[in-house]
Each structure stands twice: as structure tokens, then as C-alpha cells.
Amino acid sequence: MARSMQERDDFSQGGVGMRNGATAVTVIAVVVGALVGVATELFVEAIVAVQALWSGGSDESNFLDHVVLLPWWQVVLAPTVGGLIVGVMLLWLPERRYQGISDVMQACAT
């Protein structure tokens, strides 16, 4: 069945067909945004948990007060372990490394 001219005009000018597509995109955007928000909050909570485990306190305002009281080897060990974790991740996932702004701009230009 062929579409009538009125149906084609409605679709091309944001009529019924476009509204359904725009609604679907809006719903997907809201769901993705909510999931990213939850993931961000979980990530922040994980950072706070690791910080509390390492420094012995969870109060961010007194973090430096806790760090000053730590033995020297813990102050050296924390960034060392972090660097080792990042190094292992880069060895296992070399193609998933962060791409800088210049890399993205170059990819878009080609």
C-alpha cells in the first residue's frame, strides 16, 4: 500500500512517525542516563571504601590527617599498588586504552 501525500508530509515534518522515533530515543537516553548515574555513584562509593580501607577512616575532610599518621611504607605502597594494577590492566587490554582528544580529532578527520 502506498502512503498518501498527507502521511508523507506528516512524517517529513515531524508527524506521527517521527514522534514515535523521538519518543524511543528519549526513553533510551533517560534509561542510559540513569544507568550511568547509578554506575557513577557506585564508582564513587568504591573509591570511598578503598580510601577508608587504606587510611582507616571514611571522613574525606580528615583524609590528610589520617595519611599523616600512616607508616611510611603504607604511603609508598598505595601508589605503587595502584600503578601495578594500571600496568596489568594496560597489558591485558592494550586496545582499550584511553584515547586523547587529539586522537579523537584525528580519527574524525580521516
Side-chain angles (χ1 to χ4, degrees):
M1 298 249 164
R3 288 186 177 169
S4 70
M5 289 299 278
Q6 181 62 36
E7 287 176 335
R8 290 181 190 166
D9 288 342
D10 285 347
F11 186 79
S12 66
Q13 295 175 3
V16 176
M18 291 300 281
R19 282 192 205 128
N20 290 338
T23 302
V25 169
T26 301
V27 169
I28 291 170
V30 168
V31 170
V32 169
L35 290 174
V36 168
V38 169
T40 301
E41 186 61 31
L42 291 173
F43 183 70
V44 168
E45 290 300 320
I47 290 173
V48 169
V50 169
Q51 177 179 319
L53 181 68
W54 177 64
S55 68
S58 61
D59 185 12
E60 293 180 19
S61 62
N62 295 329
F63 179 70
L64 289 178
D65 294 336
H66 291 291
V67 173
V68 170
L69 300 175
L70 291 174
W72 68 269
W73 60 270
Q74 281 185 336
V75 175
V76 173
L77 184 66
T80 304
V81 170
L84 286 173
I85 291 171
V86 170
V88 169
M89 288 172 58
L90 289 176
L91 284 175
W92 285 349
L93 306 169
E95 65 277 351
R96 296 185 187 196
R97 288 180 33 186
Y98 173 78
Q99 300 293 315
I101 294 173
S102 61
D103 295 328
V104 173
M105 291 173 60
Q106 183 178 5
C108 290
T110 57

